[in-house]
Amino acid sequence: MRAVHAYSGRTALRQSTICRFQRAQASTQRYVASGTKRPEDLRVAIIGAGVGGPALAMLLKKHLGCTPVVFEAANVIKEVGAGISLAPNGLRALDSLGLAQRICKEVGEPMQTMHVSRPDNSTIVSFPTLAMEQYGFPMTGVRRFRLLNVLLDKMEQMGIPLEFGKRLVDIQQPDQQKAAAIATATASSSKSSGTSSTTSAPAGPAVLHFQDGNAYEADLVVGFDGLRSRTRALLKGGNEPPPRSQTLWQLRPWPRLCLVHICRETH
């Protein structure tokens, strides 16, 4: 039996994506160690084709050999989202996919100085990032949709399927399948013999059900479907507290690349 895991949240290629990859890798290795399947035969479903989902899909294929399927609720990828910053650890993950140089030189702008200003452009604080000197990769500002286009192009080159119009409705986990099978078998046995009996049924993979009526079986499910994650709601319940802060990063044009950070506590 394989349990379903969901790691969902905002789609930004920072520590969250790296941590999710490490956790997904560990879960997959435990599953392989059981002797059930080889790594390349594992069926991995990733919900959400933002920044984090495609990045994780490529990391899993490169390091484990499996080919995940990425499901996106929208029918097309639009040019949405503001500027985001990629920290050195995010670029290091992208560098393992051969994408760091392209992002820094073609679609992004390395940030040598962190400049925070007020709406009237007066300076609050300004200081050098020193990221390249300390970590080997720069802090880099990039428009979200440009970064996403780079990731989707690479994902296509690696032969990773991306299915649009797949809005997740339900996830049937192995324990639920087993319970349903037992109930059906018990009812059938009772009818034929007139007595009650209990039988066991082999647990299968998780089954994802989509709004278009299609279903997909997966050994591992990873949710990258954002703040209002359907994956999280299905697996952890809809009453999970939302994040307590909201953050906005805005990139202003060169020559003075201005990074504005607004954080507000929510209650």
Side-chain angles (χ1 to χ4, degrees), residues 65-254:
C66 59
T67 302
V69 180
V70 180
F71 297 96
E72 169 58 40
N75 293 316
V76 64
I77 298 294
K78 298 180 180 179
E79 294 187 0
V80 297
I84 63 175
S85 61
L86 289 175
N89 59 347
L91 277 174
R92 187 174 294 110
L94 290 170
D95 189 55
S96 71
L97 298 170
L99 297 175
Q101 291 300 316
R102 180 183 174 189
I103 290 170
C104 290
K105 293 182 178 180
E106 297 181 19
V107 300
E109 184 71 51
M111 295 185 292
Q112 307 299 332
T113 302
M114 188 78 72
H115 184 87
V116 183
S117 65
R118 300 181 180 87
D120 62 0
N121 284 332
S122 61
T123 298
I124 298 174
V125 63
S126 181
F127 55 89
T129 62
L130 299 178
M132 177 64 79
E133 293 82 353
Q134 293 183 11
Y135 306 111
F137 292 93
M139 287 284 293
T140 302
V142 61
R143 291 289 299 273
R144 180 186 180 277
F145 76 88
R146 290 178 180 171
L147 172 62
L148 183 55
N149 285 338
V150 171
L151 294 174
L152 294 180
D153 287 346
K154 183 67 174 181
M155 195 173 77
E156 184 178 4
Q157 293 173 17
M158 295 178 66
I160 299 174
L162 170 59
E163 297 197 16
F164 290 103
K166 296 296 182 182
R167 185 171 297 280
L168 184 65
V169 174
D170 195 16
I171 300 176
Q172 187 178 15
Q173 298 190 63
D175 287 345
Q176 296 171 335
Q177 298 175 50
K178 184 175 180 179
I182 290 175
T184 302
T186 302
S188 176
S189 176
S190 298
K191 279 185 178 181
S192 59
S193 63
T195 60
S196 284
S197 63
T198 302
T199 184
S200 61
V207 181
L208 284 68
H209 297 275
F210 297 97
Q211 195 174 62
D212 62 3
N214 291 324
Y216 180 81
E217 293 184 350
D219 303 305
L220 178 69
V221 179
V222 187
F224 262 101
D225 44 350
L227 180 63
R228 297 174 180 83
S229 170
R230 178 63 177 167
T231 312
R232 181 179 61 239
L234 289 170
L235 299 181
K236 293 188 175 181
N239 296 323
E240 182 181 355
R244 293 184 56 82
S245 64
Q246 296 178 350
T247 303
L248 168 66
W249 296 91
Q250 179 183 6
L251 294 171
R252 296 183 182 175
W254 192 261

